[in-house]
Amino acid sequence: MRKLTIISLFFALISSFTIAAEVNIFSARHYDSDVQLYEKFTAATGIKVNVVSGKDKALQKRITEEGADCVGDLYITADAGRLGAFAAKGMMQNAGWSKAIRDAVPSQFRSKKWTGIAKRARIIYYSPERVSANELNGMTYEGLADPKWKGRLVIRKSNNIYNQSLVASLVKNNGKAKTAEWSKAVVANMARTPKGNDRAQIMAVAAGEADIAVANTYYHALMLSGKKGAEQQEAAKKVMPFFPNQQDRGTHINISGAGMLKHAPNKANAVKLVEFLLSEEAQNHIVNNTFEYPMISGVIPNDLVPGKEMNFVMDTKTSVKSYGAKQADALEVMLAAGWQ
Amino acid sequence: MLRKINIWYITSLLISLVVAIPILTVFSSFFDTTSAFVEVLKNTFLLQYIFNSICLLIGVLTLTFIIGVGCAYMVSFYNFPGVNFFKWALILSFAVPPYIYAYSLTAFFENYGTAFTILTNIFGEYNYNQYIPKFDELLGAILSLSFSLFGYVYILTRASFLYQSQNLIDIGRNIGFSKIESLFKVIIPSARPAIIAGLSLVSMETLSEFGAVDFFSVNTLTTAIYNSWISFDDLVFANQLSFYLLIFIFAAFLIENFSRNNAKYHLPSKGGFKEKQKINLTGKKSLLFFLGCSIVFFLSFIFPTSQMLYWTLKYPKHFHDLNITQLFFNTIYLVILSSLVLIVFSFISNYGNRVSRSKFLNALTTFSISGYAIPGVILAVAFITFISWFDENFVKVYDLKSIKKIFIGSIAGLVIVYFVRFYSLACNGLKSGYEKINRSVDESAYLIGYSKFKTFTKVHVPYLRNSVLFIIILVSLEIIRELPITLILRPFNYETFATTAYIFASQDLLEAAAVPALLLISIASLFILLTSKYILRDNSE
């Protein structure tokens, strides 16, 4: 056993000193399919990808305190608000995105410091048995406050980042006071005290506990894929997707993205990795594993994802940067409304 | 006074200072300004969060008390079928971390979950969801925590029952107490220190727990800590809340200590100790006891393990996708290194306390409990903040090379923070062992010409062998299960069973999390099986 300890100690030591072409990632978006992508990248370029995954704020704290000693190149996370907020703290640098990246990613989904890699939509799921087409006609996020949904709506807790970004976009568009009233009305409409993740909301509609749910698109696709078992696959078929706000600003869109860290030691490699992640090959891999929407045009979303023709109106007017700026306001109005 | 200051004293002092780092860092938050979140929380959910935290604590304490003391009582005083099996099988609950218990509970009872599948397979298609009880939120958290933590109460209470003399029980009987009366008026009161010790470990774990509470997103003070930090970017208030939790625990300790100030709990002297006679049960009663232990064993171990096993078998792909050897070595490496460090330094500190007889050092050691009572993530953040502050203000000033790389994102850093977190567990465990060695033993050793060092190696170490093994097992299990500290401080590409399970679970793939979870449980169970005879030191065996 002692020998073993010494040997592993030795390996741990040398592995931290090997110098090779590499890129270091702090990732709060930890899909195992991402790891497969990194392996493909290494095979193609010889650049090794090192990863520490964890919770957003914990990673941010580590990066901040490490300061100039931080060897991280990229910070990857699944919320635009978090990217924007971290950049605003001065923890990122101008990445010098290549022309390929600038051409591939629409300008509202990137800044000089960070760029989106994939898109996700937060939409409404409904029971076609209990909700008529007429009822949903022209439905908006604002419409969730309509008293006709009393006792029929499920949505997760206020501490959830997806809800916070959605409500932040409402604060941005309608103002804090109006959103506060909206929150109160939404709470009054809830079929139950918020609990569970997005998938649990969809299942509550399938099980008849509620008529409409708010959830991210890839959760439903995950259920339809059969990865959660045959029963949930069946349950998923009992609910239908609805894209809100099609007549005005469009459906709430968030991104998964990567930002260039302030002290990145392998900046050129990091840009190469992002270029790779935005390549057709990688985008196809992402849409078929995480069920997100592609960031680049020309790649078709997975069959199980609603709106795969991308013919729905996306909210491109509300800058994703505002999700971070209005996050605290969003939580404040939700808490004040008694949103658990 | 000066006479006391020797190498032992200084080392003990240093250890205590290292352990005090997080509490000092957390306390320093009171000199910073907080965000608007404080006001928002005060106007909205603060009272409810406090209320929920108290409910969680009371719920877990009540359940662990009933299960832990109940099982210890049954296996210590009675003979019934399977009693020798249950004696150690009940400790297997330690192998299941609260967060994995939470995954199982959710997966089984959720809409379209495992229970739904079972019902469909037996009775055919139907919407069973409305009839399946839901164990989530506060209730889910209470159950997850209770079933994976009651082992503390069980082990410590059982050890205390073992040393209860038959005389005590005879006295109760002579007064005319029934068995139930004896239990509540004689047996439990005389085991009070052990029960309280177990319950205090449980309460600290409960208040600093991260995985299960986060998974169920129960609205407790832990939620407030996270909301403050994550949404309002207010780490200051998060730290202050953690500090209040700490004060609360200290207060509880003091009150308990104070309330039994005058009571003395002597171990019976050798001559007066009468071997306890176990009561042989037959018929209905023996069946009842057998069922009681079976249910606890089933709920605490078989239930979560079989849910994980079910998924592993149903989705074998996840099994092949994992680099199990690497995960195993990473996990074990951390366990061995950290246990070693913890044991060595606990020995030094305890020995230092013993030879220096310093009241000051003793008080400092009591302080060390703080590491165990602060939420792991706050502890890790406090450590990172401290290293950064120390580096900027001291190391940089003297133009030395930055120390950040040595301590942040390294095995060294991980081991130090584990050390801070679990030091009180190791140190106090050893202390209770040390207290049983009479000081006259030391004096005799010196008289026959033993040096202090030789006294230590030839007298103390053999005496303490069992305590040490018990501590190693406790600490190892804690480290195998540990999540928040490992998550934030680990080096690049360094995954353990716990972090892998968490990563899968956080992308809503509990099915994939099952494999690392099951392996984690297996290794922990193996640890327990190999050492159970030391944990369950039994006079009669």
Side-chain angles (χ1 to χ4, degrees):
Chain A
M1 209 64 216
R2 216 179 94 201
K3 241 186 201 166
L4 203 76
T5 317
I6 293 169
I7 291 170
S8 39
L9 249 173
F10 178 68
F11 273 112
L13 204 69
I14 53 165
S15 65
S16 58
F17 284 114
T18 41
I19 302 158
E22 57 180 12
V23 55
N24 302 321
I25 298 176
F26 282 101
S27 175
R29 174 198 142 91
H30 14 63
Y31 290 106
D32 53 325
S33 55
D34 284 2
V35 177
Q36 294 158 13
L37 267 184
Y38 301 151
E39 283 164 5
K40 281 188 187 173
F41 174 72
T42 306
T45 61
I47 300 169
K48 189 167 182 262
V49 183
N50 303 312
V51 187
V52 175
S53 52
K55 294 210 146 211
D56 268 287
K57 277 288 151 114
L59 290 178
Q60 288 186 10
K61 182 69 181 171
R62 174 164 159 186
I63 295 164
T64 310
E65 294 294 348
E66 281 182 337
D69 289 306
C70 180
V71 296
D73 297 303
L74 288 174
Y75 169 61
I76 295 184
T77 188
D79 182 79
R82 288 170 171 167
L83 281 170
F86 202 40
K89 278 189 180 170
M91 291 314 298
M92 290 184 196
Q93 59 169 313
N94 287 348
W97 300 127
S98 59
K99 187 166 181 310
I101 296 175
R102 278 179 283 133
D103 286 348
V105 182
S107 62
Q108 71 267 23
F109 295 126
R110 65 179 156 84
S111 77
K112 283 185 174 154
K113 296 173 176 160
W114 51 265
T115 175
I117 290 170
K119 298 193 286 260
R120 52 253 316 271
R122 193 156 185 75
I123 66 168
I124 293 170
Y125 285 91
Y126 67 98
S127 157
E129 287 172 19
R130 298 184 298 276
V131 179
S132 65
N134 196 26
E135 252 186 317
L136 274 174
N137 197 10
M139 178 71 180
T140 58
Y141 297 109
E142 285 79 358
L144 294 170
D146 191 318
K148 74 177 173 189
W149 300 114
K150 193 166 181 61
R152 300 170 71 189
L153 164 72
V154 280
I155 184 167
R156 65 200 279 186
K157 291 195 172 179
S158 56
N159 63 13
N160 171 250
I161 184 73
Y162 306 138
N163 275 347
Q164 288 175 10
S165 284
L166 173 65
V167 177
S169 80
L170 291 172
V171 172
K172 173 76 181 168
N173 282 301
N174 306 333
K176 195 173 165 184
K178 269 203 168 151
T179 312
E181 278 170 34
W182 173 87
S183 300
K184 277 189 195 127
V186 166
V187 171
N189 284 344
M190 288 178 183
R192 63 179 189 193
T193 314
K195 61 182 181 180
N197 61 14
D198 278 9
R199 193 169 44 84
Q201 316 307 316
I202 296 172
M203 288 199 292
V205 173
E209 281 178 48
D211 296 344
I212 54 171
V214 176
N216 283 0
T217 38
Y218 51 89
Y219 279 96
H220 187 239
L222 182 69
M223 290 169 70
L224 284 174
S225 75
K227 282 187 184 175
K228 309 291 299 181
E231 287 77 17
Q232 295 201 13
Q233 198 171 18
E234 283 308 307
K237 289 177 188 163
K238 291 186 186 154
V239 301
M240 298 289 287
F242 183 89
F243 288 90
N245 295 67
Q246 290 301 291
Q247 272 86 45
D248 49 35
R249 65 178 185 276
T251 295
H252 175 73
I253 294 289
N254 208 333
I255 58 165
S256 281
M260 186 68 72
L261 290 171
K262 191 179 176 186
H263 302 285
N266 312 294
K267 206 172 154 183
N269 291 346
V271 173
K272 274 187 201 158
L273 177 64
V274 173
E275 266 173 22
F276 172 76
L277 292 174
L278 291 163
S279 70
E280 213 176 298
E281 180 195 4
Q283 291 280 302
N284 268 314
H285 184 95
I286 291 174
V287 298
N288 289 317
N289 280 284
T290 66
F291 304 113
E292 286 165 295
Y293 294 109
M295 186 47 79
I296 65 172
S297 55
V299 171
I300 301 163
N302 188 279
D303 282 341
L304 303 174
V305 182
K308 66 170 285 215
E309 289 80 22
M310 302 302 286
N311 52 3
F312 60 94
V313 183
M314 281 186 270
D315 180 5
T316 52
K317 294 182 196 84
T318 317
S319 161
V320 292
K321 292 158 201 157
S322 64
Y323 301 172
K326 301 288 179 201
Q327 196 185 23
D329 281 346
L331 180 62
E332 189 183 330
V333 296
M334 284 192 278
L335 288 178
W339 192 325
Q340 296 263 349
Chain B
M1 177 65 200
L2 270 179
R3 183 178 62 88
K4 283 182 184 169
I5 298 178
N6 53 28
I7 182 78
W8 293 104
Y9 184 89
I10 290 167
T11 334
S12 314
L13 188 67
L14 275 178
I15 295 170
S16 306
L17 287 179
V18 169
V19 174
I21 288 175
I23 190 175
L24 294 177
T25 317
V26 168
F27 180 70
S28 72
S29 66
F30 283 90
F31 302 101
D32 284 323
T33 44
T34 54
S35 69
F37 184 67
V38 186
E39 278 308 308
V40 174
L41 195 63
K42 266 187 201 155
N43 294 332
T44 55
F45 287 113
L46 184 62
L47 280 180
Q48 198 201 338
Y49 285 3
I50 293 174
F51 178 74
N52 282 350
S53 282
I54 293 172
C55 285
L56 179 73
L57 190 63
I58 291 176
V60 173
L61 286 178
T62 312
L63 261 185
T64 48
F65 174 81
I66 294 171
I67 301 173
V69 177
C71 290
Y73 173 69
M74 288 193 275
V75 301
S76 306
F77 291 92
Y78 297 91
N79 269 325
F80 55 93
V83 63
N84 284 321
F85 167 75
F86 288 124
K87 219 157 43 184
W88 60 264
L90 290 171
I91 330 174
L92 285 177
S93 60
F94 261 136
V96 184
Y99 54 93
I100 290 181
Y101 201 93
Y103 299 165
S104 315
L105 209 55
T106 304
F108 192 82
F109 291 105
E110 74 178 345
N111 285 331
Y112 304 101
T114 310
F116 180 89
T117 308
I118 293 173
L119 289 172
T120 311
N121 282 336
I122 300 176
F123 303 108
E125 303 253 324
Y126 183 70
N127 186 359
Y128 300 106
N129 294 306
Q130 49 194 320
Y131 303 110
I132 298 169
K134 300 284 178 286
F135 294 102
D136 47 19
E137 303 276 290
L138 193 57
L139 184 60
I142 290 175
L143 290 176
S144 304
L145 285 163
S146 300
F147 278 112
S148 53
L149 295 178
F150 83 89
Y152 284 120
V153 182
Y154 169 73
I155 292 179
L156 294 173
T157 311
R158 188 180 166 278
S160 156
F161 282 166
L162 271 182
Y163 290 107
Q164 275 189 9
S165 155
Q166 181 68 29
N167 301 355
L168 210 58
I169 297 158
D170 289 344
I171 291 170
R173 205 164 290 162
N174 292 341
I175 299 174
F177 283 166
S178 69
K179 273 179 200 148
I180 294 290
E181 279 174 319
S182 299
L183 173 65
F184 286 104
K185 293 194 171 148
V186 180
I187 295 171
I188 290 181
S190 76
R192 179 169 155 181
I195 296 173
I196 295 292
L199 288 177
S200 57
L201 286 175
V202 170
S203 63
M204 282 187 285
E205 290 249 5
T206 304
L207 289 178
S208 66
E209 210 271 343
F210 154 91
V213 175
D214 180 55
F215 183 74
F216 287 120
S217 52
V218 188
N219 286 325
T220 63
L221 285 173
T222 318
T223 322
I225 290 174
Y226 281 103
N227 273 341
S228 163
W229 184 23
I230 289 163
S231 301
F232 278 73
D233 207 20
D234 183 359
L235 192 55
V236 176
F237 185 55
N239 274 330
Q240 292 180 357
L241 276 176
S242 313
F243 192 79
Y244 287 129
L245 279 184
L246 195 66
I247 295 292
F248 173 76
I249 290 172
F250 269 128
F253 265 101
L254 281 179
I255 291 167
E256 206 289 320
N257 244 324
F258 194 69
S259 75
R260 65 165 189 221
N261 211 10
N262 295 319
K264 295 270 188 284
Y265 296 86
H266 285 297
L267 281 178
S269 56
K270 261 260 147 70
F273 188 84
K274 206 162 128 198
E275 191 77 30
K276 199 163 52 239
Q277 253 125 42
K278 276 193 168 187
I279 300 166
N280 288 316
L281 289 178
T282 49
K284 256 191 198 159
K285 261 198 176 157
S286 88
L287 187 70
L288 209 66
F289 277 49
F290 174 78
L291 279 180
C293 286
S294 301
I295 289 170
V296 173
F297 177 59
F298 177 83
L299 289 179
S300 65
F301 186 73
I302 300 291
F303 167 69
T305 312
S306 40
Q307 177 67 51
M308 296 297 139
L309 190 64
Y310 166 69
W311 271 334
T312 307
L313 296 174
K314 194 171 171 191
Y315 305 98
K317 176 185 168 289
H318 300 307
F319 188 78
H320 301 299
D321 286 351
L322 275 189
N323 185 349
I324 291 167
T325 333
Q326 186 65 51
L327 291 179
F328 175 79
F329 278 115
N330 285 352
T331 306
I332 291 296
Y333 178 57
L334 280 178
V335 168
I336 292 177
L337 203 60
S338 313
S339 312
L340 210 67
V341 170
L342 272 162
I343 287 294
V344 168
F345 283 99
S346 300
F347 253 123
I348 294 176
S349 163
N350 267 299
Y351 189 75
N353 279 353
R354 191 175 174 90
V355 293
S356 66
R357 299 188 183 202
S358 154
K359 285 215 166 114
F360 173 65
L361 271 189
N362 237 327
L364 265 185
T365 319
T366 318
F367 238 174
S368 72
I369 210 134
S370 61
Y372 200 57
I374 296 178
V377 64
I378 296 292
L379 186 73
V381 166
F383 175 75
I384 293 176
T385 314
F386 173 80
I387 292 291
S388 162
W389 170 82
F390 189 80
D391 188 76
E392 309 281 338
N393 291 287
F394 294 96
V395 181
K396 290 258 164 71
V397 173
Y398 296 102
D399 267 342
L400 298 169
K401 212 171 168 314
S402 162
I403 57 162
K404 287 183 190 174
K405 275 187 186 166
I406 306 172
F407 293 111
I408 306 177
S410 67
I411 298 293
L414 264 182
V415 171
I416 292 174
V417 181
Y418 287 156
F419 177 78
V420 173
R421 178 136 181 90
F422 302 121
Y423 177 69
S424 77
L425 206 59
C427 185
N428 288 321
L430 206 59
K431 193 172 158 192
S432 66
Y434 247 123
E435 276 165 0
K436 288 188 194 125
I437 310 177
N438 203 313
R439 278 179 198 276
S440 63
V441 175
D442 295 20
E443 319 266 307
S444 320
Y446 300 149
L447 274 180
I448 57 169
Y450 276 25
S451 66
K452 275 186 179 160
F453 185 70
K454 202 172 175 189
T455 313
F456 175 69
T457 53
K458 296 279 174 195
V459 182
H460 294 172
V461 172
Y463 244 115
L464 294 168
R465 199 190 59 180
N466 281 352
S467 306
V468 169
L469 272 166
F470 178 52
I471 293 162
I472 288 179
I473 213 61
L474 269 191
V475 169
S476 302
L477 289 173
E478 288 280 4
I479 293 169
I480 291 175
R481 298 148 45 138
E482 208 291 323
L483 192 53
I485 296 170
T486 322
L487 217 45
I488 176 169
L489 276 170
R490 73 200 194 282
F492 280 96
N493 306 329
Y494 198 95
E495 303 296 341
T496 64
F497 287 128
T499 61
T500 313
Y502 165 78
I503 285 168
F504 282 122
S506 69
Q507 31 173 312
D508 197 26
L509 276 177
L510 289 179
E511 295 82 357
V515 181
L518 193 64
L519 289 165
L520 188 157
I521 295 173
S522 312
I523 293 184
S525 303
L526 199 70
F527 261 74
I528 293 169
L529 289 184
L530 289 177
T531 50
S532 63
K533 68 171 175 178
Y534 297 104
I535 303 178
L536 299 171
R537 274 168 289 162
D538 212 322
N539 283 355
S540 56
E541 283 163 14

